[in-house]
Structures are given as structure tokens and as C-alpha cells.
């Protein structure tokens, strides 16, 4: 499967400063089936829009992950997903 994923994250830092991250990725998923169990493995790649205080930045992001589901019937399943956000920030060399 191939699709578009938008997964915003809003956090408050220790000094009460808001951090907003908005990753926009194209996600590819492959699902392994074993009886009533499903195991999706996926990878998303795209950009991460970041805003912290008055600073704004656009980074490259990779989001690999996997999950496990137990399918009760054709309409219901219960499970978990684990996703790791790898945001690559450009570096600046200071003289």
C-alpha cells in the first residue's frame, strides 16, 4: 500500500515554549498475515515542518515502523504501532 500521512505533534517545553512539528510523508506499507494476526511494516519519507518560538525550519524526515494486530472479525482489530521519527537537520558550521 502507498499513501500520504500527516501526523502533527504539539508539545510544551520546560520553559512553557510551544513546539509544533508537522511531518508530511509518503508512506509505504507491507502487511504480513498469520491466521488472525496481522503484522504491518512501513516506511514514510518526506518533510518535517517545525516551529519553535519564532524559529521555523523544514527538515527531511524518515519514519520507519512496525505493528501487530489481532483481528476479531472483518470489521474489528486490536493492536499496536511503533514508529520512530528520524528528522535530519541541516548543520551550520560556525567560524
Amino acid at each position: 500500500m502507498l499513501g500520504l500521512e500527516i501526523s502533527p505533534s504539539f508539545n510544551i517545553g520546560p520553559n512553557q515554549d510551544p513546539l509544533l512539528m508537522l511531518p508530511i510523508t509518503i508512506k509505504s506499507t507491507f502487511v504480513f498475515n498469520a491466521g488472525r494476526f496481522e503484522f504491518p511494516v512501513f516506511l514514510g519519507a518526506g518533510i518535517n515542518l517545525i516551529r519553535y518560538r519564532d524559529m521555523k525550519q523544514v527538515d527531511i524526515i524518515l519514519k520507519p515502523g512496525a505493528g501487530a494486530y489481532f483481528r476479531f472479525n472483518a470489521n474489528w482489530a486490536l493492536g499496536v504501532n511503533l514508529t520512530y521519527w528520524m528528522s535530519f537537520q541541516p548543520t551550520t558550521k560556525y567560524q
Side-chain angles (χ1 to χ4, degrees), residues 65-87:
Y69 293 96
F70 177 75
R71 182 152 299 282
F72 293 107
N73 58 39
N75 297 321
W76 287 93
L78 180 66
V80 296
N81 273 341
L82 233 68
T83 306
Y84 186 75
W85 290 22
M86 297 171 22
S87 187

Side-chain angles (χ1 to χ4, degrees), residues 35-93:
R36 295 175 71 178
F37 290 94
E38 296 179 354
F39 301 98
V41 177
F42 47 88
L43 176 65
I47 61 170
N48 190 13
L49 307 173
I50 300 172
R51 183 175 178 199
Y52 179 69
R53 293 184 180 171
D54 60 344
M55 298 175 281
K56 296 176 184 171
Q57 186 169 323
V58 178
D59 297 334
I60 296 170
I61 190 166
L62 290 176
K63 293 172 55 179
Y69 293 96
F70 177 75
R71 182 152 299 282
F72 293 107
N73 58 39
N75 297 321
W76 287 93
L78 180 66
V80 296
N81 273 341
L82 233 68
T83 306
Y84 186 75
W85 290 22
M86 297 171 22
S87 187
F88 300 98
Q89 299 177 342
T91 59
T92 304
K93 293 184 180 181

